[in-house]
């Protein structure tokens, strides 16, 4: 096309093409031309920002809290553009104050009617995984693999790790010397507790590990219903369940098995990972009452 105008044109040349002006432009025509040019420039800027943030999708970015809108969504300043932290992706214990600097996980980047729409999260499991990748070199280089994550955002996460290299301790690598690495991760997640779990291909061994810090005597498996029965001593019963059933639910989510906790002893009690909070509270209350009665006797 350039050679039609200049026969010896080559790549890199700049062609100056005089344009004929049919007449003097009026005020309205000039204003319209200005608006069209500005609009095209803004569209080009939005496309550049969109392409930039699209590469950061499923990664962690830093932002500054601007404000909270009427729907509870927190508006985050990401530098060139703003992002949105919906109420469902927030950690309920965290206070998002204007000017506060946060690290956030980019859930999605899409082009909307008003430009790029960036949805952020602090509650997704992927946030935990990305923090581990950024803080643990062995995970970043693939020597240690994150096999699963179960999370109660803001309270506790269980992270299962494994390695094929005999010389590497996967849990020790994540905890670091004197807990230096895991402390950094906990701070990054706003004080959320982290349970490091040794992954095992043996479901029974994996479930025993997943119920940490409770000590499990043994585990029985029903392959057809995918239900596991974990037998624990009386003093480990409440620990295996966790506050509000948190420990057993996270273990069930992590392993993919429905878990039934059975207390060993004269008075056998049982709860499952699918029981509601009231049923779990009643089981723990009954246990407490039984212990008080035994002490009085």
């Amino acid at each position: 096309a350039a050679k039609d105008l200049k026969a010896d044109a080559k790549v890199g040349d700049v062609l100056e093409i005089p344009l004929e002006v049919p007449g003097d432009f009026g005020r309205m025509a000039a204003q319209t031309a200005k608006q069209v040019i500005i609009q095209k420039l803004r569209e080009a800027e939005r496309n550049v920002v969109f392409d930039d943030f699209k590469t950061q999708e499923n990664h962690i970015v830093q932002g500054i809290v601007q404000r909270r809108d009427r729907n509870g969504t927190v508006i985050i300043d990401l530098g060139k553009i703003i992002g949105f932290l919906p109420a469902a992706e927030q950690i309920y214990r965290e206070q998002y104050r204007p000017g506060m600097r946060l690290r956030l996980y980019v859930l999605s980047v899409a082009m909307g009617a008003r430009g790029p729409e960036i949805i952020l999260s602090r509650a997704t499991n992927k946030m935990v995984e990305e923090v581990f990748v950024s803080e643990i070199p062995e995970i970043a280089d693939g020597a240690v693999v994150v096999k699963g994550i179960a999370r109660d955002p803001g309270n506790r996460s269980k992270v299962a790790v494994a390695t094929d290299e005999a010389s590497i301790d996967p849990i020790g690598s994540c905890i670091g010397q004197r807990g230096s690495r895991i402390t950094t991760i906990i701070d990054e997640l706003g004080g959320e507790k982290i349970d490091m779990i040794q992954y095992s291909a043996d479901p029974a061994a994996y479930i025993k590990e997943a119920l940490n810090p409770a000590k499990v005597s043994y585990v029985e498996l029903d392959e057809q219903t995918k239900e596991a029965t974990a037998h624990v001593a009386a003093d480990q019963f409440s620990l295996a369940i966790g506050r509000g059933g948190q420990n057993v639910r996270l273990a069930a989510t992590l392993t993919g098995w429905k878990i039934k906790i059975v207390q060993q002893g004269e008075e056998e009690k049982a709860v499952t990972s699918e029981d509601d909070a009231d049923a779990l509270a009643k089981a723990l209350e009954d246990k407490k009452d039984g212990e008080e009665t035994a002490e009085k006797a």
Side-chain angles (χ1 to χ4, degrees):
K3 287 188 176 183
D4 290 341
L5 299 170
K6 185 180 179 184
D8 59 347
K10 58 183 182 296
V11 174
D13 286 352
V14 176
L15 300 183
E16 293 186 7
I17 306 169
L19 299 177
E20 293 183 8
V21 180
D24 292 337
F25 284 115
R27 178 176 170 278
M28 292 302 295
Q31 189 70 18
T32 301
K34 178 182 176 181
Q35 289 175 350
V36 169
I37 292 170
I38 291 173
Q39 182 181 353
K40 293 296 183 183
L41 285 172
R42 286 176 179 167
E43 286 178 4
E45 287 174 356
R46 284 201 295 262
N47 289 333
V48 168
V49 172
F50 175 79
D51 292 340
D52 180 29
F53 272 90
K54 194 65 179 176
T55 63
Q56 299 186 55
E57 196 172 29
N58 302 321
H59 292 289
I60 289 177
V61 296
Q62 280 200 348
I64 299 173
V65 176
Q66 281 192 339
R67 60 185 174 82
R68 185 187 294 271
D69 69 11
R70 288 177 296 177
N71 298 323
T73 298
V74 176
I75 311 301
I76 306 291
D77 180 4
L78 297 173
K80 297 178 182 178
I81 197 170
I82 62 170
F84 303 94
L85 181 63
E89 298 298 335
Q90 298 170 21
I91 295 175
Y92 76 94
R93 290 196 314 164
E94 288 186 334
Q95 299 293 321
Y96 302 108
R97 297 181 297 276
M100 181 181 182
R101 187 175 293 275
L102 284 174
R103 291 182 76 187
L104 307 108
Y105 184 82
V106 182
L107 273 183
S108 67
V109 179
M111 185 61 82
R114 297 183 179 180
E117 294 181 354
I118 300 168
I119 306 300
L120 306 167
S121 176
R122 287 277 294 172
T124 178
N125 288 0
K126 292 288 185 180
M127 175 83 184
V128 177
E129 185 174 352
E130 280 295 307
V131 171
F132 268 83
V133 170
S134 64
E135 298 294 338
I136 313 296
E138 289 85 352
I139 293 179
D141 63 22
V144 175
V145 179
V146 176
K147 287 290 191 176
I149 297 172
R151 189 182 187 199
D152 180 4
N155 292 316
R156 183 180 294 273
S157 288
K158 288 182 181 286
V159 181
V161 292
T163 183
D164 292 329
E165 299 185 26
S167 61
I168 295 178
D169 173 12
I171 292 180
S173 298
C174 295
I175 293 174
Q177 190 173 10
R178 297 182 181 178
S180 58
R181 290 179 175 179
I182 200 70
T183 300
T184 302
I185 291 171
I186 289 171
D187 291 342
E188 195 64 54
L189 297 173
E192 186 174 313
K193 295 179 176 64
I194 307 289
D195 292 341
M196 297 307 304
I197 306 298
Q198 175 76 53
Y199 174 79
S200 174
D202 175 14
Y206 190 23
I207 290 165
K208 284 182 73 171
E209 285 288 329
L211 285 168
N212 273 333
K215 300 292 186 290
V216 179
S217 301
Y218 63 96
V219 175
E220 295 175 322
L221 302 176
D222 186 336
E223 297 282 355
Q224 290 185 339
T225 61
K226 202 150 188 186
E227 180 175 327
T229 304
H231 297 264
V232 299
D235 62 345
Q236 298 293 308
F237 186 64
S238 58
L239 197 58
I241 295 171
R243 182 178 297 178
Q246 182 190 72
N247 194 57
V248 67
R249 286 201 187 98
L250 288 177
T253 302
L254 184 68
T255 60
W257 286 72
K258 177 183 175 182
I259 299 177
K260 182 179 182 182
I261 306 293
V262 175
Q263 174 185 301
Q264 297 171 304
E266 295 179 3
E267 186 181 357
E268 189 174 280
K269 294 179 182 177
V271 296
T272 75
S273 55
E274 297 183 353
D275 287 345
D276 59 26
D278 292 338
L280 293 168
K282 186 176 185 306
L284 293 175
E285 190 63 32
D286 290 345
K287 179 181 183 297
K288 184 178 179 181
D289 292 342
E291 289 173 350
E292 290 176 353
T293 303
E295 286 178 4
K296 289 177 182 178

